[in-house]
């Protein structure tokens, strides 16, 4: 019977338990029942913030003309964000204005994402909606502020009434532009970041849970289907490498989209 039901085990086996959404809502670990309650996700976020602050302080503490390896790596990473995202998108003048925010967003998201593949942590700080929502709100307020600061009330006119459109089409165009600019942008920023990290975590947990199940439950009970654990382990390694790439990619995508939205706000009538 076990040969026909691959997820069955002999009596005493633990059975297979796939990942569930409950993993993203862990029990409180500190200060339970108080406004300062901390669970695993919050502790990971605090850890990432601490590590980032310490890393940046150490990186700029003793800058040298001939950089050390650590300084060279920091300069490469910072230069990638500065030149590859901020300056290329906003230009030198506007790029300098918004660089602190965009650099912070990039490294914060990267740090929070990478904890999803960090042994011992294995849960991204961005895999729960609170942080992606806060970052999207900051991006939303920033591009509206940039547009209003430069164009005043005309920013909303430029955003909702694009030039070159016949007046009789405005009843159709204005709602679409409103949804696209003021609703879809922040919502997609949140969902893109959140769902990529949630999906990645679930895939990794599924692969490695299945590996444990096949090798230590099924194969240990003499069922040859337990050899499938080799395959699930191989898939787990592939997805692990993919998640490292996704962690960096999502930091890049969120940051460059924020920069693009700011640039569009500054451009005005386009």
């Amino acid at each position: 019977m076990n040969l026909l039901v691959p997820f069955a085990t002999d009596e005493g086996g633990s059975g297979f338990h796939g990942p569930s959404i409950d993993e993203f809502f862990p029990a409180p670990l500190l200060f339970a029942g108080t406004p300062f309650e901390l669970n695993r996700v919050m502790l990971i976020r605090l850890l990432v913030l601490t590590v980032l602050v310490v890393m940046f302080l150490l990186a700029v503490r003793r800058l040298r003309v001939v950089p050390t390896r650590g300084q060279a790596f920091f300069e490469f990473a910072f230069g990638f964000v500065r030149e590859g995202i901020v300056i290329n998108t906003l230009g030198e003048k506007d790029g300098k204005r918004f660089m602190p925010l965009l650099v912070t967003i990039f490294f914060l998201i990267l740090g929070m994402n990478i904890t999803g593949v960090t042994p011992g942590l294995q849960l991204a700080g961005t895999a729960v909606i609170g942080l992606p929502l806060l970052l999207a709100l900051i991006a939303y307020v920033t591009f509206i502020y940039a547009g209003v600061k430069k164009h005043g009330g005309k920013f909303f006119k430029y955003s909702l009434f694009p030039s070159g459109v016949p007046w009789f089409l405005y009843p159709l165009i204005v709602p679409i532009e409103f949804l696209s600019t003021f609703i879809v942008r922040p919502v997609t920023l949140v969902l893109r970041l959140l769902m990529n990290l949630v999906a990645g975590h679930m895939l990794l947990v599924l692969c490695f849970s299945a590996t444990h199940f096949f090798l230590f439950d099924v194969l240990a009970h003499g069922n040859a289907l337990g050899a499938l654990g080799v395959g699930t382990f191989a898939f787990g390694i592939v997805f692990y490498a993919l998640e490292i790439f996704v962690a960096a990619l999502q930091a890049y995508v969120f940051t460059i989209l924020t920069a693009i939205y700011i640039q569009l706000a500054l451009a005005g009538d386009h």
Side-chain angles (χ1 to χ4, degrees):
M1 178 64 70
N2 283 352
L3 292 174
L4 301 177
V5 186
F7 291 107
T9 61
D10 292 339
E11 188 176 347
S14 61
F16 178 75
H17 302 285
S20 90
I21 202 68
D22 293 336
E23 295 184 30
F24 301 98
F25 303 95
L29 297 176
L30 296 173
F31 314 121
T34 72
F36 306 101
E37 181 175 289
L38 296 176
N39 59 18
R40 182 181 166 206
V41 177
M42 291 304 299
L43 289 174
I44 287 173
R45 290 172 176 172
L46 291 174
L47 175 62
V48 171
L49 283 174
T50 303
V51 170
L52 286 175
V53 169
V54 171
M55 286 179 60
F56 272 84
L57 287 176
L58 292 176
V60 302
R61 186 178 180 184
R62 295 180 180 177
L63 296 178
R64 301 178 182 179
V65 177
V66 180
T68 62
R69 291 182 181 179
Q71 181 181 331
F73 176 78
F74 173 79
E75 290 178 353
F76 170 79
F78 181 82
F80 170 77
V81 182
R82 182 184 186 278
E83 301 295 334
I85 299 178
V86 182
I87 301 301
N88 281 353
T89 305
L90 294 172
E92 191 75 30
K93 181 181 177 181
D94 291 321
K96 288 181 178 179
R97 290 174 55 202
F98 296 99
M99 189 174 301
L101 174 65
L102 294 172
V103 169
T104 300
I105 286 176
F106 177 85
F107 284 104
L108 181 62
I109 293 178
L110 178 60
M112 294 292 177
N113 288 355
I114 211 70
T115 59
V117 290
T118 302
L121 299 178
Q122 296 168 321
L123 182 62
T126 45
V128 178
I129 196 170
L131 185 57
L133 187 61
L134 176 61
L135 292 171
L137 180 61
I138 292 171
Y140 179 77
V141 171
T142 301
F143 85 76
I144 291 178
Y145 163 79
V148 172
K149 178 76 173 177
K150 184 168 184 178
H151 304 291
K154 290 184 179 180
F155 165 69
F156 297 100
K157 175 186 174 183
Y158 296 150
S159 299
L160 299 176
F161 298 87
S163 61
V165 176
W167 65 268
F168 57 85
L169 290 179
Y170 279 137
L172 175 64
I173 296 298
V174 170
I176 294 175
E177 290 295 323
F178 174 79
L179 288 173
S180 173
T181 302
F182 299 103
I183 304 297
V184 173
R185 285 182 183 178
V187 169
T188 53
L189 282 176
V190 173
L191 294 181
R192 184 184 295 106
L193 178 58
L194 176 67
M195 298 313 297
N196 272 282
L197 274 298
V198 169
H201 177 82
M202 299 289 271
L203 280 172
L204 288 179
V205 173
L206 179 62
C207 287
F208 290 118
S209 295
T211 299
H212 184 277
F213 169 71
F214 279 122
L215 295 182
F216 296 99
D217 285 350
V218 178
L219 191 62
H221 287 83
N223 191 328
L225 285 178
L228 291 174
V230 176
T232 58
F233 180 75
F235 276 112
I237 296 299
V238 171
F239 284 127
Y240 188 89
L242 180 63
E243 280 306 294
I244 296 175
F245 172 73
V246 169
L249 177 64
Q250 289 306 311
Y252 173 82
V253 169
F254 194 104
T255 307
I256 198 169
L257 284 178
T258 302
I260 289 171
Y261 295 157
I262 294 171
Q263 191 274 331
L264 291 175
L266 293 172
D269 192 11
H270 49 275

